[in-house]
């Protein structure tokens, strides 16, 4: 995509520097995480989403990857992001964990979504994840061909929501609880939009309604529900149009001269392929005994094949409809 020269801006000062992240103390890491988040926020405001993502990812990497015994992590359990406590770390990269339900399990590194930063008193992990997901959704708007952006936004916001709910369960301060409740609202709104772009309207509706259950005057949640209704109405109208086209095609295939001719040819081909070993005509006996004659059986085969063709066309049309739905969802 070509960009006018007048739209180009010079690099920001921090983009020209290479900030080292190795051999840092805990206090240094705290400062770096906050610093990288602010850098990402500046780039987000400038609509430089790709570069903003790189700074957000660096900030998360500083505090979200080291797994220790006794630590808390967010893991992928049957497609859901859940909190778990680490009981033991194996040499092979496997971990023994305890889930909130009390069940114990063994997972691998690929199941770990995030290591919870226990010193995160200002909930930077959640805020970084939220802005990271906002960048991903903007990229999904720019390049609608790639569904990966929306899927990653769903994943990131789900992790952020799990973190928020974990902090709420651990919170004893009313002010902190109010701040976390606000973060829960924002997280559900981001995930709801990510679900819309992933063509998962039911999931998007659930998140938007849960926000309204917390805050009935939330305008963004109301706007999302209105958007979902528009998309859903379009999908249903498209579905009806496809159904009518299928019915019209079936009627044409079975009643037109070409369709009748094709059925006759299929009937003749089937009859010509029948074995002629028996010379005794048993059609009358079959009719008397209530058994289908050879001609009836041939017609049933023809109709079966025709139905198979119809099913194939329907499947093709459904596939086209699904592609259109995905485009609308994105």
């Amino acid at each position: 995509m070509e960009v006018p020269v007048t739209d180009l801006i010079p690099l920001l000062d921090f983009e020209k520097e290479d900030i080292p992240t190795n051999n840092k103390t805990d206090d240094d890491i705290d400062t770096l995480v906050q610093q990288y988040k602010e850098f990402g926020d500046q780039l987000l405001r400038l609509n430089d989403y790709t570069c903003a993502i790189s700074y957000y990812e660096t900030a998360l990497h500083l505090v979200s990857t080291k797994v220790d015994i006794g630590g808390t992590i967010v893991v992928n359990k049957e497609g859901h992001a859940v909190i778990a406590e680490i009981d033991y770390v194996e040499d092979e990269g496997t971990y023994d964990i305890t889930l909130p339900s009390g069940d114990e399990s063994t997972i691998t590194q690929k199941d770990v979504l995030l290591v919870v930063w226990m010193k995160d008193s200002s909930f930077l992990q959640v805020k970084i994840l939220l802005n990271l997901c906002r960048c991903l959704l903007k990229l999904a708007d720019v390049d609608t061909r790639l569904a990966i952006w929306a899927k990653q936004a769903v994943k990131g916001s789900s992790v952020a929501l799990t973190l928020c709910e974990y902090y709420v369960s651990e919170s004893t301060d009313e002010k902190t609880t109010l701040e976390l409740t606000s973060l829960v609202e924002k997280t559900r709104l981001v995930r709801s939009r990510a679900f819309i772009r992933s063509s998962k309207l039911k999931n998007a509706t659930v998140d938007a309604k849960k926000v309204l259950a917390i805050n009935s005057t939330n305008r963004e949640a109301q706007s999302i529900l209105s958007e979902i209704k528009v998309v859903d109405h379009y999908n249903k109208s498209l579905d009806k149009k496809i159904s009518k086209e299928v019915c019209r095609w079936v009627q044409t295939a079975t009643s037109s001269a070409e369709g009748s001719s094709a059925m006759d040819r299929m009937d003749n081909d089937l009859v010509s392929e029948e074995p002629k070993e028996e010379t005794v005509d048993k059609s009358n006996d079959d009719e008397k005994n209530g058994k289908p004659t050879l001609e009836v059986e041939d017609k049933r085969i023809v109709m079966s094949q025709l139905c198979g063709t119809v099913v194939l066309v329907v499947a093709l049309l459904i596939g086209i409809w699904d592609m259109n739905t995905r485009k609308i969802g994105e």
Side-chain angles (χ1 to χ4, degrees):
M1 183 176 65
E2 296 183 358
V3 178
V5 177
T6 53
D7 290 346
L8 298 178
I9 59 174
L11 292 175
L12 301 178
D13 292 337
F14 63 83
E15 292 183 276
K16 303 174 185 178
E17 302 176 2
D18 184 14
I19 304 175
T21 58
N22 297 327
N23 301 322
K24 296 292 183 180
T25 64
D26 290 344
D27 292 338
D28 291 336
I29 289 177
D30 294 351
T31 303
L32 277 176
V33 172
Q34 180 67 49
Q35 192 175 15
Y36 272 100
K37 178 189 177 298
E38 291 175 356
F39 291 161
D41 292 347
Q42 291 183 50
L43 292 166
L44 175 58
R45 286 190 287 269
L46 292 173
N47 300 329
D48 192 347
Y49 309 117
T50 304
C51 287
I53 286 175
S54 66
Y55 281 94
Y56 290 138
E57 288 180 339
T58 302
L60 288 174
H61 181 77
L62 288 170
V63 293
S64 307
T65 56
K66 187 178 179 181
V67 179
D68 292 321
I69 297 176
T72 304
I73 58 177
V74 181
V75 300
N76 180 7
K77 196 66 176 176
E78 298 178 353
H80 298 279
V82 298
I83 288 288
E85 302 293 330
I86 302 173
D87 300 326
Y88 188 72
V89 178
E90 300 281 354
D91 294 336
E92 301 83 22
T94 59
Y95 312 107
D96 295 336
I97 62 171
T98 300
L99 300 171
S101 61
D103 295 336
E104 296 181 351
S105 178
T106 300
I107 62 171
T108 60
Q109 181 63 44
K110 67 178 183 179
D111 298 316
V112 180
L113 299 176
L114 187 82
V115 177
V116 179
W117 185 23
M118 302 309 295
K119 295 182 180 180
D120 189 9
S121 58
S122 56
F123 315 117
L124 279 178
Q125 272 185 314
V126 174
K127 295 173 183 177
I128 292 172
L129 281 169
L130 277 180
N131 284 349
L132 176 60
C133 293
R134 291 186 176 107
C135 290
L136 291 170
L137 288 179
K138 290 296 184 180
L139 291 177
D141 290 338
V142 173
D143 191 353
T144 58
R145 298 170 300 173
L146 295 178
I148 187 65
W149 303 123
K151 290 181 180 179
Q152 290 299 322
V154 169
K155 183 177 180 180
S157 53
S158 296
V159 173
L161 182 60
T162 300
L163 268 180
C164 285
E165 292 174 343
Y166 168 70
Y167 288 139
V168 168
S169 66
E170 298 289 320
S171 175
T172 56
D173 180 66
E174 183 178 355
K175 184 178 180 181
T176 302
T177 303
L178 288 174
E179 181 182 358
L180 288 169
T181 301
S182 175
L183 283 174
V184 168
E185 288 185 37
K186 294 176 182 177
T187 304
R188 286 197 178 278
L189 291 173
V190 170
R191 192 171 71 166
S192 182
R193 293 198 178 279
F195 275 135
I196 292 176
R197 286 164 176 77
S198 300
S199 300
K200 296 182 178 180
L201 300 184
K202 290 184 179 180
N203 302 73
T205 302
V206 170
D207 273 338
K209 287 185 176 180
K210 284 188 176 182
V211 171
L212 290 176
I214 299 173
N215 180 7
S216 59
T217 60
N218 191 295
R219 293 184 178 181
E220 186 175 356
Q222 295 170 352
S223 175
I224 288 175
L225 288 178
S226 299
E227 182 180 344
I228 291 172
K229 288 181 180 179
V230 172
V231 175
D232 189 46
H233 176 73
Y234 178 85
N235 290 343
K236 288 180 179 179
S237 63
L238 187 63
D239 191 21
K240 290 180 181 178
K241 182 178 179 181
I242 291 175
S243 299
K244 291 180 180 178
E245 290 295 330
V246 171
C247 292
R248 189 178 297 111
W249 183 89
V250 173
Q251 184 178 8
T252 302
T254 55
S255 62
S256 66
E258 292 82 359
S260 300
S261 176
M263 291 182 65
D264 290 339
R265 288 197 301 272
M266 291 171 64
D267 185 52
N268 293 333
D269 291 342
L270 287 169
V271 172
S272 63
E273 292 175 1
E274 285 295 319
K276 299 181 179 181
E277 294 180 359
E278 297 188 17
T279 58
V280 180
D281 185 7
K282 296 183 178 180
S283 59
N284 292 333
D285 293 336
D286 289 338
E287 291 178 357
K288 291 178 180 179
N289 295 329
K291 298 180 181 179
T293 63
L294 179 61
E295 182 181 359
V296 174
E297 290 179 349
D298 288 343
K299 288 184 177 179
R300 287 180 179 176
I301 294 174
V302 172
M303 292 305 297
S304 176
Q305 292 182 343
L306 180 61
C307 289
T309 304
V310 172
V311 170
L312 181 62
V313 173
V314 171
L316 178 61
L317 291 173
I318 290 175
I320 296 173
W321 171 80
D322 183 60
M323 291 175 62
N324 291 331
T325 303
R326 289 176 181 272
K327 290 181 180 180
I328 293 300
E330 293 172 354

